[in-house]
Amino acid sequence: MFYSRYKELGEEFAVLAEPNIFTQSEVLLINEQLNECTGLKWQSEEVLQYLSGQAALPDCESVSLAYSGHQFGHFNPLLGDGRAHLIGTFTGTEGVEYDIQLKGSGATSFSRGGDGLCALGPAIREFIMSQAMHSLGVPTTHCLAVLSTGQTVYRQGHVPGAVVARMARNHVRVGSFQLLALKQDKTAMSELLELCIRDSFEDITSQGEERVYAFFNRVCQAQCSLMLKWLQVGFIHGVMNTDNTLVNGETIDYGPCAMMEGFSFSRVFSSIDSQGRYAFGQQPNIASWNCARLAESLLLLCESEEEAIERFSKSLADFSEAFNQGYRQLWQDKLALLDWNDEDQSLINELLELMTTHKLDYTNTFAGLTAHTMNTLRDQYPLASELDNWLSKWSARTEQYSKDIMITTMKMVNPALIPRNELVEEVIADFYRDGKSEQLRDWLIALKSPYEYRSLPQKWLTPQSDTTHYQTFCGT
């Protein structure tokens, strides 16, 4: 049932590494739905034994993966899983392969002097955020469970340690290809490309170099689609390095991430992003830039560099065109502009300028417009008075449309509920204080239906304090 699938890429790519054994570990959170729907179906004792390092998966050898990466634009030739162990892969329901990776499970050869451990807070954040993002319709890796380790780690003081068990279709990053390009390992890169096609782009049927071009084109499409979903829900990743970018277009590494509240395209939360490289509105540009770094790596598999550059450039241009079309459609859908005329762009720009000037809540503004159209729950989703004049223009623009069609369109893209930053921090504080959180269960249930407009506790909907200066940290 379990197997190791990265060893064929070489010992320098998948380095044998045993996770720490945490004998005092306890299971704090488990995603029962994920456990069941993937076909894993572990019992509680199996969860504890396998994810605490006390037992190895049958027929598997634990590895840490090597990769390169551009970190804030600067190339680092050798990074790798500095606090993570990929303990095995299994084929789940419908033939889908899943990696199981432990994060915070101890130092590896890539730790660069770090302890390889994880604090409880970032582990709780990943559990909440990955589930919420999945429910919001955003492609994502999944957190299977969070375990306490029974030990403390030092992160601006001593705090409880934890292990995150993460599941993903694969853990192949842009940086994975960069590493093999750096090593000029054409054989391993060909094998890695085939692994990715089998996992995520199995409908690619072309052969030879056409297969490489088709793969790159699909990666660009996946990244473009992911960026549009991030913008739709107001997600800010915080550290979009090439080593944090999965080629299959799933969100990974929920370290310094956050949800945008007061609207601004320049919004940044990550404490290490002092230049705003990965600000909310910069994310699509960075995704395209990361794809270009993948193209540079894939040149290794191409006979004619001139032709390859031309083909890769075409895919990058297609990325830009597809994003621009999708971006316009995003605002059309959020505002239920069921057809397009040239004046609509001014209407959209005016709204975004008002939201920026008055720091209006991103989610609640569009939820308010949706509730306004529904003519229900207006008290729960009030519209800011600064929008009164604009609202008259929008109402006049959309008066010819069917309200039912408008509502259906808006409810598909305007969530009523997101994982609010303040509540994430509250839950983390609960776990630090009590080892559990009484409010988390009901909140997680509600987060599974983020596009359902219904009566909800006000603290789930509106920040209770100014989060303009809220900061997030990577957790290492």
Side-chain angles (χ1 to χ4, degrees), residues 18 22 28 189 191 223 232 298 373 459 472:
E18 294 297 326
F22 299 108
L28 298 181
M189 185 180 288
E191 292 172 348
Q223 292 298 321
Q232 176 200 321
L298 291 172
T373 306
K459 69 175 295 185
T472 52

Side-chain angles (χ1 to χ4, degrees), residues 97-108:
E97 290 184 291
Y98 296 99
D99 291 339
I100 303 177
Q101 186 191 62
L102 307 181
K103 188 163 70 172
S105 45
T108 74

Side-chain angles (χ1 to χ4, degrees), residues 185-328:
D185 193 337
K186 187 173 182 178
T187 299
M189 185 180 288
S190 295
E191 292 172 348
L192 185 62
L193 181 140
E194 290 303 322
L195 184 153
C196 293
I197 290 176
R198 183 178 71 245
D199 276 356
S200 306
F201 310 117
E202 60 184 10
D203 57 330
I204 293 177
T205 58
S206 52
Q207 300 299 319
E209 285 191 26
E210 289 299 323
R211 196 166 177 81
V212 179
Y213 300 141
F215 167 72
F216 180 70
N217 193 54
R218 293 295 296 279
V219 171
C220 289
Q221 291 173 6
Q223 292 298 321
C224 177
S225 177
L226 181 64
M227 293 305 102
L228 289 168
K229 294 298 292 188
W230 282 7
L231 295 187
Q232 176 200 321
V233 302
F235 177 76
I236 302 174
H237 185 276
V239 60
M240 289 178 64
N241 300 329
T242 56
D243 52 289
N244 293 333
T245 300
L246 292 185
V247 296
N248 65 8
E250 292 182 346
T251 310
I252 193 172
D253 291 327
Y254 288 95
C257 73
M259 301 300 294
M260 183 169 64
E261 293 174 331
F263 179 78
S264 172
F265 282 115
S266 62
R267 181 71 67 220
V268 172
F269 290 109
S270 172
S271 63
I272 57 176
D273 191 5
S274 57
Q275 301 301 313
R277 177 179 173 85
Y278 301 140
F280 176 68
Q282 284 296 319
Q283 292 177 136
N285 293 330
I286 294 298
S288 177
W289 191 89
N290 288 346
C291 285
R293 306 290 76 73
L294 175 62
E296 292 170 351
S297 301
L298 291 172
L299 287 173
L300 181 65
L301 301 180
C302 302
E303 291 296 327
S304 170
E305 181 173 310
E306 183 178 351
E307 179 184 357
I309 290 174
E310 182 179 347
R311 296 290 294 273
F312 291 146
S313 297
K314 173 65 166 57
S315 290
L316 290 169
D318 290 344
F319 177 114
S320 297
E321 183 178 350
F323 176 80
N324 290 336
Q325 292 177 356
Y327 184 71
R328 191 182 82 174

Side-chain angles (χ1 to χ4, degrees), residues 367-368 370-381 453:
T370 305
H372 178 86
T373 306
M374 296 166 60
N375 199 24
T376 184
L377 297 174
R378 290 189 179 187
D379 290 341
Q380 183 164 272
Y381 303 101
Y453 282 70

Side-chain angles (χ1 to χ4, degrees), residues 232 263 330-331 334-335 351-352 355 361-372 383 390 410 413-415 453:
Q232 176 200 321
F263 179 78
L330 172 63
W331 298 119
K334 290 182 82 68
L335 294 175
L351 173 62
L352 297 178
M355 292 172 65
D361 188 275
Y362 183 60
T363 298
N364 286 351
T365 296
F366 289 100
L369 291 171
T370 305
H372 178 86
L383 285 167
W390 179 90
M410 297 176 79
V413 294
N414 294 333
Y453 282 70

Side-chain angles (χ1 to χ4, degrees), residues 87-101:
I87 60 174
T89 301
F90 73 98
T91 302
T93 53
E94 300 179 357
V96 177
E97 290 184 291
Y98 296 99
D99 291 339
I100 303 177
Q101 186 191 62

